[in-house]
Amino acid sequence: MIKISAIICTFKRPDYLRHALRSLCEQSLPCEQYEIIVVDNAVEAETEQVVKEFEDGRLNLRYLTEAKVGLSRARNTGLEAAAGRYVAYMDDDARADKHWLEALVSAFEQVSPAPAAIGGRVWLDWQGEKPSWVPERHLPLYTYVDHGNGAHSLDNDEYLVGANIAFERDDLRSIGGFDPKLGRQGLVLLSGEEAAILAHLQQMGKGVYYEPAAVVWHSVDQSRKRPGWLLRRLFWDGASQPLIDVPARERSRRVTSLNAYRDLRQCGRWSWEILVAVLRGRKGSAWESLLGLSQRVGRLRTEVRMLAWNSD
């Protein structure tokens, strides 16, 4: 009987996908108790060929396609096809520890009351040295997660990420799955879909749990070790925040205008700080302010668009 469905949504990364699938093929959980679903969001022959490399008749492995670009759409496609009572999501550029699925199933079955969502550690594989200019506080943007050695219900200041997150399938289906307005869409680095889901579940009184024994390693591609990537990632992280902070039904033109005004003022302050730091030769201070500016400009971008949409 299939207990859990491991879902990988992939977009034009066949080489990374191969490593991800290999890690899922070597799980300690008996193979008859889990299935692997690959959702190809680019619909490329090369990706399908990678999946076929692992079709040995022993594994429950399926290849699906989602023609509409968007990570949330691809995740929902996998959700609808899942046969397991639980669904576990892992990124195509991640590798699972051999006990990953076993740890997730064990937590779902043994924790009482049973949680609706469980996530675990995500350790970073920098494929070399971590750049010195990446601040520790921004490691979550690279999907780093480590909330300690003890399993526990998620605290208010803690988070889970889509590279290592699992749900009770019917609970996730009951709230409509992932919001297609959030999450990566091709090269657009929107985010926040997991945070929105977890907030929704918690508002319903459902439990969210951290299980440190469920570990994955997330590869940091060379392109993400460049300052420009972090600035883009921060911009889109900021652009996602207004959509998560205030549900659509509660948004008003007045509140959005006030938030946009505050963010515009903060953009001005950071721009001034950058100019002063550059003139004084304080490169570190200029970089820190530029990171903050990038994120705040992203917020402002979404708030302006929300004002254009909201005519009340």
Side-chain angles (χ1 to χ4, degrees):
M1 179 185 71
I2 294 176
K3 291 186 175 182
I4 189 166
S5 302
I7 301 172
I8 300 178
C9 301
T10 187
F11 185 80
K12 297 184 178 182
R13 294 197 285 203
D15 292 334
Y16 278 124
L17 176 63
R18 183 176 287 107
H19 293 298
L21 286 174
R22 186 172 294 116
S23 73
L24 290 180
C25 291
E26 298 170 351
Q27 291 292 293
S28 59
L29 190 70
C31 58
E32 65 271 14
Q33 294 184 21
Y34 71 96
E35 65 174 350
I36 303 169
I37 299 175
V38 176
V39 183
D40 184 0
N41 204 201
V43 193
E44 293 187 334
E46 188 175 1
T47 299
E48 184 176 10
Q49 185 57 46
V50 169
V51 176
K52 287 181 178 179
E53 293 174 13
F54 294 88
E55 292 178 342
D56 60 2
R58 180 180 61 90
L59 293 167
N60 298 301
L61 174 62
R62 285 188 281 165
Y63 170 80
L64 306 177
T65 61
E66 173 51 66
K68 292 184 178 180
V69 174
L71 180 55
S72 290
R73 294 183 185 278
R75 284 175 171 168
N76 289 339
T77 296
L79 173 65
E80 289 306 308
R85 178 177 178 181
Y86 314 111
V87 291
Y89 290 93
M90 188 178 82
D91 286 355
D92 59 355
D93 54 355
R95 304 185 309 278
D97 176 79
K98 67 178 296 185
H99 301 294
W100 181 56
L101 289 176
E102 184 178 6
L104 290 172
V105 170
S106 177
F108 274 118
E109 293 181 342
Q110 295 181 19
V111 174
S112 180
I118 298 175
R121 285 172 160 150
V122 180
W123 289 332
L124 300 179
D125 177 5
W126 288 98
Q127 303 182 69
E129 293 294 321
K130 168 184 167 293
S132 60
W133 45 262
V134 177
E136 292 294 315
R137 72 177 185 279
H138 286 322
L139 289 181
L141 295 173
Y142 292 85
T143 68
Y144 173 78
V145 177
D146 193 333
H147 300 313
N149 296 328
H152 58 268
S153 294
L154 210 66
D155 292 335
N156 290 335
D157 61 343
E158 294 178 332
Y159 61 94
L160 302 176
V161 297
N164 182 3
I165 196 167
F167 300 90
E168 207 284 336
R169 182 196 61 196
D170 291 343
D171 280 337
L172 186 55
R173 286 179 177 174
S174 72
I175 59 175
F178 293 88
D179 185 347
K181 297 186 184 68
L182 296 171
R184 180 172 295 195
Q185 299 171 20
L187 298 178
V188 176
L189 303 180
L190 275 170
S191 59
E193 70 276 23
E194 301 96 359
I197 287 283
L198 297 179
H200 195 156
L201 290 172
Q202 289 172 319
Q203 288 167 6
M204 295 170 59
K206 302 285 187 178
V208 178
Y209 199 74
Y210 166 72
E211 174 50 72
V215 179
V216 305
W217 286 266
H218 192 260
S219 299
V220 181
D221 188 78
Q222 294 302 312
S223 64
R224 301 184 182 189
K225 296 168 71 172
R226 298 169 184 159
W229 183 88
L230 181 55
L231 290 171
R232 284 181 58 235
R233 181 67 179 83
L234 276 165
F235 174 87
W236 287 110
D237 180 71
S240 305
Q241 289 173 3
L243 299 174
I244 302 168
D245 293 344
V246 184
R249 64 181 180 277
E250 298 176 10
R251 293 172 194 154
S252 71
R253 190 172 184 84
R254 180 179 177 277
V255 171
T256 303
S257 297
L258 181 60
N259 290 337
Y261 173 71
R262 289 171 176 167
D263 287 330
L264 182 60
R265 289 192 63 182
Q266 184 61 54
C267 288
R269 283 193 290 268
W270 263 319
S271 297
W272 175 251
E273 289 176 8
I274 292 169
L275 177 61
V276 171
V278 169
L279 291 175
R280 294 180 177 177
R282 292 164 21 200
K283 294 182 179 179
S285 297
W287 173 243
E288 289 289 338
S289 296
L290 182 59
L291 293 175
L293 176 62
S294 182
Q295 189 173 46
R296 197 56 62 112
V297 169
R299 284 186 61 92
L300 185 60
R301 171 258 189 199
T302 297
E303 288 158 351
V304 170
R305 290 169 65 92
M306 289 166 63
L307 288 170
W309 298 333
N310 189 346
S311 58
D312 64 359

